[in-house]
Amino acid sequence: DEVVVGTPTANRGREEIEGLIGFFVNMLPVRVELSGAPTVAELLARVRERALGAQHHQDIPFEQVVELVHPARSMAHAPLFQAMFTWQNAPGGGAGLPGLALAPMGPAEPSDRPGAGPVASAPSAQATAHVALSLTLFERGGRIGGSVTYAAALFERETVERYVGYLWRVLEGMVADETRRVNRLEIVPEDERRLMVKEWNRTDAVDPSETCVHALFEAQVERAPDAEAVVFERDRLTYAALNAAANRVARRLRAAGVGPEARVGVMLERSAELVVALLAVLKAGGAYLPLDPALPAARRAALAADAGAAVLVTREPALEGFAGTIVSPAETDGEDGSDLGLDVPAAALAYVIYTSGSTGTPKGVGVAHAEAAAHCRAAAAAYGLTPADRVLQFAAVGFDVSLEQLLAPLAAGACVVMRGSEVPTPLELARQAAEQGMSVVNPPTAYWHQLAADPDALELLARSVRLVIAGGEAMSPAAAREWASGPAAGVRLLNGYGPTEAVVTCTAYDVPPTLPEGAVHVPVGRPLPGRAAYVLDGWGEPAPLGVPGELCIGGTLARGYLGRPAATAAAFVPDPFSPAPGARMYRTGDRARWLAAGELEFLGRRDHQVKVRGYRIEPGEIEARLAEHPGVREAVVLAREDAPGDRRLVAYVVGEETAGAEALRAHLGETLPAYMVPAAYVRLEQLPLTPIGKLDRRALPAPEGDAHAAREYEAPVGKVEEALAEIWAELLGVERVGRGDDFFMLGGHSLLAVQMISRVRQAMEVEFALRAVFEKPVLSALAERILHLRLARFDPETLARLAQLVREPGAQAT
């Protein structure tokens, strides 16, 4: 809404500088407001008023202004402003110095290029840019010329020349119509607009015929009935066996009244039976609603009620308050296993997945059969899936990428290899990949970072895997470089991006063997087949190349939010760039920009929504649950990354002393999934505010020791406890860990537990499953488990001798 421009002004008269040599200008910051979308004439009036007003204060030294404003200082940029404009209107001749001939140096002559505006000057003797961008203009011979000086560390010459072209187009528009509003001035040239809107969205078209995922799967059954379809631990199902099992459950669902638009809750543990149930719901014409058994019971019941699920597929006891029909996959043996042959409408709902909601309640994203099938075909084309592939199924079924890991491979005739019930360590995953001959692995980015840091795991992984797709969070450029230089250098690596509303992955970037050393972000690439990506400014126009804007996705999209027409209308808007009648695009709320090479670069959120360990989280939903605690008056939740690569949720609360970390964690655990429960809780007397009364998020302090649910400190006993406590303290970012502390109460989670297991393996040469951490989360208990595992490596005679030593007087049991 505003621009700060620095204008150098002379602060001494010519008669005062005889005999002096120096820099006789004073920087004058000028704030020019663009709010309210003024017309060209109104903007010029504002600028004139501000510039003349600033002249009244030109004798105040710029350094004094900086001292009074007290901005955050940085060696990376100048204070107050980083762009400067100079209008050289001093009379010719300048100061005369006896015995010296003076001539101007730097600004280029006005260009003779037809229709040309100001251009970047030829190289001059100036070696240092005092600000990021500086535009100098002058009048000579009835024409205006000038130069641009730029910081070469920040800008390429081509970028600055492009900026000058934008300025020229704006000036042309201003001259053409002074009544036009400035936000409607055309900046982007037509050829650049066509490049970003059309050329970079020319993806390979997917099969336009509308069909359903289960129809694609049934075609593969007919093609290769005996091919392996699903592997889970010891269970193996061929395409024919999986199809028959799904048909039997589908018939039971039809008998329960399931048809188009009917929502069916699926509450099953990770298993081959889970895949059977999902396919069965689709075959019956309904829409599956994943209900993870690990979720709090209250949340599962709330999701089922909000979705209007009247049927539940489960082996578990019924949901609290659920009055619908229960279908158990184990009780369908008497049903017919042949295809149902139903004509399921492609426009009918296929699945509903809930995401965190900014209003305090989760939102159900509904996707139709046609769009689900379109993404399966797009993913198969982008990843090159064939019947020869064996694809890792990693994500929980309540996470949208599960569609890509389960249904896309089955629609392409590949085999789905499901990971175990627990999240494996990178080395365990690599062993499973090598043993099962996996060729495609699709983990969340946070897990991929751990994988990329484990050379032993990468060496095993590279034996069979040809493609790794990471997505869900920003990929670290440093980790990408490590990957390219390690044992997995020959494995193709994709960095994927896609919100649930845009039907899983919608853009992807083939990470090259080398990334520029100065790269801050790994791009998210170009759209997948059937998608379009636009970077738009605040008025819905394409942002200039390299300029951040809101990323909007066209093409294959979700239907909208279940039962929320207003929210759907706000997020899913008409696509003005598509020739297809009724085309829509989804406003992601993410900031991005087009790079010169035609790749998208993700730059974060426009609002407070965050991504933690691949999960999209609206802090407002957590804040709403915190406010329900009787001891909390105000609450704010944000994601902090106080240690590189370790992003965690932190809650800040104003309230009673009873609202401590342990009490609040337990309160949230009753209704929220584990990934939405903050790791730390900071109690404040009041929330920090900016001078205008808004919440000052930057002033919220980093959590300290008492922000975690730590027990009364008791020092670790013995070498194993001490070593384990040191590992915990480093991973969890706490000052010290006592033998009675709980890993998860200190802010730990499953991915950190995986890291911890890897470090214990390296430090103590002991391996144990993730289950052990959940069973023994207290430091002393887990250390005892580790000690038993170490002792198990000894032969009986050695163990007997150790027992004898322990019984000797003065021996320490540890």
Side-chain angles (χ1 to χ4, degrees):
D1 289 337
E2 59 189 22
V3 177
V4 177
V5 184
T7 63
T9 63
N11 62 353
R12 291 290 183 270
R14 178 181 173 187
E15 68 280 359
E16 298 182 46
I17 62 173
E18 294 291 347
L20 299 177
I21 297 177
F23 186 62
F24 299 104
V25 293
N26 183 38
M27 303 307 302
L28 208 62
V30 178
R31 186 183 298 272
V32 180
E33 288 192 28
L34 301 177
S35 59
T39 64
V40 170
E42 290 169 344
L43 175 62
L44 293 176
R46 287 185 190 181
V47 173
R48 182 178 186 276
E49 179 186 358
R50 290 299 177 93
L52 290 176
Q55 296 296 323
H56 294 302
H57 309 287
Q58 61 180 310
D59 288 335
I60 300 176
F62 175 67
E63 292 75 14
Q64 185 176 342
V65 176
V66 174
E67 182 180 342
L68 291 173
V69 174
H70 196 62
R73 302 304 295 266
S74 170
M75 296 296 291
H77 56 76
L80 297 190
F81 60 85
Q82 289 80 51
M84 185 171 71
F85 170 65
T86 303
W87 172 246
Q88 295 283 16
N89 63 345
L97 299 177
L100 293 178
L102 304 181
M105 180 183 70
E109 293 296 324
S111 173
D112 292 328
R113 178 167 54 90
V119 295
S121 69
S124 71
Q126 183 168 340
T128 302
H130 300 291
V131 293
L133 279 172
S134 178
L135 172 64
T136 300
L137 297 180
F138 58 86
E139 184 177 1
R140 187 171 300 166
R143 302 182 63 192
I144 294 176
S147 64
V148 174
T149 303
Y150 61 93
L154 299 177
F155 301 101
E156 299 286 348
R157 181 184 176 89
E158 293 77 12
T159 301
V160 177
E161 289 178 338
R162 194 167 60 249
Y163 285 178
V164 171
Y166 296 153
L167 173 62
W168 183 246
R169 284 182 61 82
V170 168
L171 293 175
E172 284 183 321
M174 294 175 72
V175 170
D177 184 2
E178 67 172 15
T179 65
R180 191 168 191 176
R181 297 199 176 275
V182 293
N183 60 349
R184 294 303 178 187
L185 293 172
E186 293 184 1
I187 295 178
V188 181
E190 189 56 40
D191 57 345
E192 184 178 315
R193 181 188 178 97
R194 184 171 55 253
L195 188 69
M196 295 185 294
V197 172
K198 299 295 184 185
E199 297 300 324
W200 289 342
N201 281 315
R202 287 190 189 279
T203 58
D204 295 331
V206 295
D207 182 356
S209 60
E210 291 193 344
T211 186
C212 299
V213 175
H214 63 273
L216 299 176
F217 165 72
E218 288 170 355
Q220 295 297 336
V221 174
E222 187 174 345
R223 184 192 62 80
D226 297 328
E228 211 164 44
V230 175
V231 174
F232 175 74
E233 296 178 347
R234 297 180 181 276
D235 296 332
R236 294 173 181 268
L237 292 178
T238 64
Y239 269 81
L242 175 59
N243 190 50
N247 287 333
R248 287 193 289 270
V249 177
R251 281 190 160 79
R252 186 63 62 88
L253 291 173
R254 291 291 292 182
V258 173
E261 300 302 320
R263 270 79 81 181
V264 179
V266 177
M267 192 173 74
L268 293 168
E269 297 286 351
R270 175 178 291 272
S271 61
E273 193 174 62
L274 174 62
V275 185
V276 170
L278 298 180
L279 280 171
V281 175
L282 297 176
K283 282 171 170 281
Y288 68 78
L289 167 69
L291 298 171
D292 191 339
L295 290 175
R299 189 174 183 85
R300 292 199 305 264
L303 297 185
D306 186 77
V311 178
L312 181 65
V313 181
T314 184
R315 280 176 172 264
E316 304 293 324
L319 288 173
E320 183 179 348
F322 184 75
T325 305
I326 304 293
V327 173
S328 172
E331 299 172 359
T332 59
D333 291 342
E335 298 287 350
D336 182 2
S338 62
D339 288 339
L340 280 68
L342 297 175
D343 185 16
V344 178
L349 207 59
Y351 66 82
V352 177
I353 286 181
Y354 275 81
T355 65
S356 181
S358 58
T359 59
T361 55
K363 296 180 296 187
V365 179
V367 175
H369 282 266
E371 279 63 43
H375 178 67
C376 287
R377 289 191 296 253
Y383 308 152
L385 297 181
T386 71
D389 280 310
R390 297 174 72 83
V391 182
L392 171 67
Q393 198 287 312
F394 189 97
V397 72
F399 196 32
D400 62 348
V401 78
S402 61
L403 168 76
E404 192 170 284
Q405 298 171 353
L406 275 174
L407 302 181
L410 293 176
C415 176
V416 174
V417 181
M418 304 181 74
R419 69 165 172 83
S421 301
E422 300 173 355
V423 178
T425 65
L427 188 59
E428 289 170 343
L429 176 65
R431 284 173 181 162
Q432 185 185 8
E435 292 168 359
Q436 296 286 352
M438 292 184 202
S439 57
V440 179
V441 174
N442 189 345
T445 308
Y447 187 92
W448 175 82
H449 282 144
Q450 298 181 27
L451 188 64
D454 192 328
D456 294 337
L458 293 181
E459 188 173 347
L460 279 172
L461 197 76
R463 294 181 184 179
S464 64
V465 173
R466 65 170 181 85
L467 171 65
V468 171
I469 310 150
E473 289 179 87
M475 178 181 283
S476 160
R481 293 189 194 98
E482 287 181 14
W483 177 278
S485 61
V491 178
R492 181 187 177 197
L493 176 63
L494 281 178
N495 184 30
Y497 162 86
T500 305
E501 291 86 344
V503 194
V504 207
T505 307
C506 55
T507 75
Y509 176 67
D510 256 300
V511 182
T514 57
L515 278 174
E517 279 300 321
V520 179
H521 306 282
V522 177
V524 294
R526 292 193 188 183
L528 263 63
R531 303 311 211 295
Y534 315 112
V535 178
L536 306 181
D537 62 21
W539 298 278
E541 289 295 318
L545 185 62
V547 175
E550 181 180 12
L551 180 56
C552 297
I553 304 297
T556 303
L557 297 176
R559 179 191 291 179
Y561 300 115
L562 206 64
R564 297 191 180 195
T568 299
F572 296 85
V573 298
D575 183 347
F577 311 106
S578 172
R584 300 178 307 154
M585 65 181 183
Y586 170 64
R587 299 186 59 183
T588 67
D590 292 329
R591 295 176 65 250
R593 64 175 180 169
W594 281 111
L595 301 178
E599 307 288 353
L600 285 165
E601 185 178 62
F602 175 79
L603 300 173
R605 290 289 301 174
R606 296 172 67 244
D607 54 20
H608 299 307
Q609 188 185 97
V610 298
K611 275 253 183 129
V612 177
R613 305 198 306 278
Y615 294 98
R616 189 175 70 179
I617 297 170
E618 291 280 4
E621 184 175 354
I622 308 172
E623 292 165 0
R625 300 289 81 78
L626 281 170
E628 293 170 354
H629 189 281
V632 174
R633 292 195 297 274
E634 293 181 277
V636 173
V637 175
L638 54 80
R640 298 185 64 104
E641 193 169 340
D642 295 309
D646 183 18
R647 204 169 198 214
R648 302 187 199 178
L649 292 172
V650 178
Y652 296 87
V653 296
V654 176
E656 309 300 328
E657 291 186 4
T658 54
E662 191 166 351
L664 293 177
R665 186 180 181 88
H667 168 73
L668 293 178
E670 295 175 358
T671 55
L672 295 180
Y675 66 84
M676 290 182 67
V677 177
Y681 303 81
V682 180
R683 198 166 69 85
L684 303 172
E685 292 299 321
Q686 60 183 24
L687 295 175
L689 302 177
T690 65
I692 61 173
K694 292 186 177 182
L695 174 67
D696 189 352
R697 294 177 181 272
R698 295 183 180 181
L700 292 169
E704 297 180 350
D706 60 351
H708 302 87
R711 307 286 171 81
E712 185 175 349
Y713 181 72
E714 184 181 355
V717 176
K719 299 296 183 183
V720 175
E721 287 190 13
E722 290 171 357
L724 189 59
E726 186 176 339
I727 292 172
W728 283 22
E730 184 178 349
L731 276 177
L732 300 172
V734 296
E735 184 177 349
R736 64 181 185 178
V737 177
R739 66 190 314 262
D741 282 333
D742 184 298
F743 182 80
F744 299 104
M745 297 295 275
L746 290 178
H749 50 75
S750 57
L751 286 182
L752 279 178
V754 169
Q755 286 191 53
M756 183 256 290
I757 292 170
S758 295
R759 296 194 185 189
V760 168
R761 172 173 58 85
Q762 296 170 4
M764 306 183 201
E765 299 181 350
V766 168
E767 289 193 41
F768 54 93
L770 182 65
R771 184 191 307 111
V773 186
F774 285 92
E775 292 174 349
K776 305 283 187 181
V778 175
L779 185 122
S780 59
L782 185 59
E784 184 179 6
R785 173 73 65 89
I786 293 171
L787 182 60
H788 287 166
L789 290 171
R790 295 186 72 184
L791 290 174
R793 296 179 300 174
F794 293 102
D795 59 85
E797 184 178 344
T798 304
L799 285 175
R801 175 59 182 152
L802 285 172
Q804 181 180 351
L805 288 172
V806 169
R807 286 193 295 269
E808 291 178 357
Q812 292 186 21
T814 54

